[in-house]
Amino acid sequence: MSKILVNSNGPLHGEVSVSGAKNAVLPLLAATLLTEEQCIIESVPDLADVKVMKKMLANYGAKVDDSEEGIVKVTADTITTVEGNPELVQEMRASTVAMGPLLARCGHVVMPMPGGCTIGKRPIDLHLKGFKALGATVVESEDKVEITAGEGGLVGDVIYLDFPSVGATENILMAAVLAKGTTIIENAAKEPEIIDLANLLNKMGAKIKSAGTDMIRIEGVSRLSGAVHEVIPDRIEAGTFMLAAAITRGDLLVKNALPGHVRPIIAKLKECGVKVETVEEGIYVDARERELNATDIKTLPYPGFPTDIQSPFMAFLTTVNGKSTVRETVFENRFMHVVELNRMGADITTENREAIIPGGKKLRGAKVRATDLRAGAAMVLAGLVATGTTEVSEIYHIERGYENFVGKFKSIGADIMKVSED
Ligand code: UD1
C-alpha cells in the first residue's frame, strides 16, 4: 500500500494544467458501446477509474486501443456478453453507466450491484425508474439487476427524476437515443458532463436537445455511428488547484480550467477574500499576503456548489479567520474527512448534514486517511500548511480520479512524495 507524505513549505506558485474530466470520460467511454463503429475519445486522463472502464468495455466484447497517450479508440462491433463483471463493478460504482447503452443496443443487460458506498447509500432507483418508463422490465435480486426491453425495443416517454441524479440522467439519455419516438427527461441533471455526453451522442447521430437544462428532449434514431470527441477539462481538479493556491496563500495559474464550469468555487473563494481572475489560458488565483475570512457553503446539484469540492474547501476554511459552515445536501454521509481534519487540529463539529469550522487554526501534521477520492485531496491540501509531516494513507482513492497528482503538486513547489509502505 502506498502513501503520500506532505510537508509544509510555504506558498505554492506557478502554473498547472487541468486534465480531462474523470466524470465526463467514464460515461463517454460507456457510450461507445452504442455503435459497432469506432469511436475515438481524446484528452483521456490516465486514471485508475479509466483503466477499470477500459477493462469493462473489453469484458463486453469491445476492442480497446489505448496505444497512443491520452487517446482511447473503442470498436464495439460485437457485444459478446451483456453481463457486467462483479469485480469491476465492485471496484468502480460508475460501471453502472453501461446499463443504458447495453439496454439500448442489445435489449437486455445484467448488472451486478455494487455494495453500499462510503459516501452514502447511492441507490440506482432513478436509473431503473427511467428504464421502466421506456418500457423495460426490471428484475432486482440481492446481488444484481436484470433489465429487459419490451418486445419491440425501448419506447420513448416522459420521465420525471425525483432528484437530478447525474448517473440516472446519463443512463436514461444513453438508453433513449435508440428508443422509438420521443423521450423527455424532466428535472434532469445539468452538469457540464451531461452536455459533454450529449455532444458526443449527437456527433454519433443522436437527436438530443437542451442537454444542460432541466428538461432534455431526445428523438430516438435507429442507429448510431462512430465519432471523434475530446473530453472536457476536469472542473473538480481545477477547483482543487485553485484551493491549493488559496490554502497556501500562494498564486497559481490553473490552465485549461473553464471559468463557466467553476462559478460557485470562484464566487466562494472571492467571498473569502481570494483574488480570482479569468485569463486567456484559464484561471489565475492569488491569495498572497491577504487577510482571508470565513464563508458558508451549501452543496447543491449543478450549477450549485459541487459536493465534490466540499472537502477540499473545508480544508481551506480551517485556515481562514472566523467561523464557517458547510451544509452537504447531495450525499447523506460525506463528512468522513472531518475526523481526519480534526486529527490535524481543525476542531470541526458536525450536526446532521452541517459542519461548523471554527477557522484560524494552525494545523499540525498527522497520519490521516484518504476516506474517499476528494477527501484524499483535502488531506493533501491540509498537509501543505500543517506543521511537520502529514502522512496520507489509502491513496488509491486519490489515484482513481486525479491524473499525476503528486507530479503536478511537485511542479508547483509542493514538498510531496509518494512512498510505498514496504
Ligand atoms: C456523480 C459523480 C460524483 C458526484 C455526484 C454528484 C460520476 C462518475 N460521479 O455521481 O463525483 O459527487 O455525481 O455531483 O459522475 N440518488 C438516488 N437514486 C438514484 C441515483 C442517485 O437517490 O437512482 C441519490 C444519491 O444517493 C445521491 C444523489 O442522488 O445522494 C446524487 O447522486 P448522483 O447525482 O446520481 O451521483 P452519481 O452519478 O453517483
Side-chain angles (χ1 to χ4, degrees), residues 38-39 54 62-68 71-75:
Q38 187 183 65
C39 291
K54 287 189 284 195
K63 296 176 191 76
V64 181
D65 172 358
D66 58 1
S67 50
E68 257 176 274
I71 297 177
V72 179
K73 298 176 182 167
V74 186
T75 314

Side-chain angles (χ1 to χ4, degrees), residues 14 60-61 91 127 147 163 184 198 207 259 264 325 328 336 365 407 415:
Y60 291 124
E91 243 181 279
H127 306 230
I147 311 157
F163 182 88
I184 293 174
K207 291 191 174 152
T325 60
E328 171 62 56
M336 283 168 329
D415 182 353

Side-chain angles (χ1 to χ4, degrees), residues 23 122-127 163 165-167 307-308 330-331 334:
N23 288 350
R122 304 186 92 173
I124 56 159
D125 55 315
L126 298 172
H127 306 230
F163 182 88
S165 154
V166 174
T307 170
D308 284 353
V330 179
F331 288 105
R334 207 170 199 184

Side-chain angles (χ1 to χ4, degrees), residues 188-190 194-195 198 202 208-217:
K190 296 181 281 203
I194 305 281
I195 302 177
N202 282 342
I208 303 167
K209 278 195 188 144
S210 309
T213 75
D214 59 7
M215 196 162 96
I216 305 178
R217 188 185 175 91

Side-chain angles (χ1 to χ4, degrees), residues 178-213:
L178 290 178
K180 289 192 182 65
T182 307
T183 300
I184 293 174
I185 311 177
E186 292 181 341
N187 199 27
K190 296 181 281 203
E191 272 68 2
E193 292 76 18
I194 305 281
I195 302 177
D196 205 30
L197 174 62
N199 285 344
L200 167 66
L201 293 169
N202 282 342
K203 282 184 197 168
M204 292 166 74
K207 291 191 174 152
I208 303 167
K209 278 195 188 144
S210 309
T213 75

Side-chain angles (χ1 to χ4, degrees), residues 310-348:
Q310 180 254 104
S311 49
F313 213 102
M314 195 185 291
F316 163 63
L317 291 176
T318 64
T319 68
V320 302
N321 299 327
K323 184 182 91 175
S324 301
T325 60
V326 171
R327 176 166 281 276
E328 171 62 56
T329 76
V330 179
F331 288 105
E332 67 272 22
N333 183 21
R334 207 170 199 184
F335 279 150
M336 283 168 329
H337 48 280
V338 166
V339 176
E340 306 302 314
L341 286 171
N342 283 349
R343 276 188 223 286
M344 302 175 74
D347 245 349
I348 302 166

